Amino acid sequence: YRPITDRRLAELAVRFTLSQPVTAMVCPGEEEMLWLALEIAERFTPITEAETQELRQAAAGLEPVFG
């Protein structure tokens, strides 16, 4: 497991998750990343299709944690 440290990708990831029909998201285990996720969630706006594609491209080739 490696947290997303790039602010733009972190924002896209949080917004992607919160744009899904979920009641909660798994919070980062690192304190600094937790505060970043909370900051992003406070300013939440639904993710756009273009941003979703940007996130998918960034994630291409990564191995799933629970694969």
Side-chain angles (χ1 to χ4, degrees):
Y1 163 76
R2 285 180 297 190
I4 297 171
T5 56
D6 178 275
R7 283 188 74 91
R8 172 73 177 156
L9 288 180
E11 180 172 347
L12 291 177
V14 170
R15 289 179 52 224
F16 174 83
T17 300
L18 295 178
S19 294
Q20 306 307 305
V22 298
T23 56
M25 69 176 212
V26 176
C27 293
E30 295 186 20
E31 183 179 3
E32 182 180 338
M33 296 294 103
L34 171 60
W35 289 115
L36 176 60
L38 293 174
E39 175 189 319
I40 293 166
E42 263 188 341
R43 300 181 282 105
F44 172 72
T45 57
I47 195 167
T48 66
E49 183 59 36
E51 291 170 324
T52 299
Q53 290 307 316
E54 180 183 344
L55 184 60
R56 290 184 192 280
Q57 287 176 345
L62 295 177
E63 292 292 323
V65 175
F66 304 108

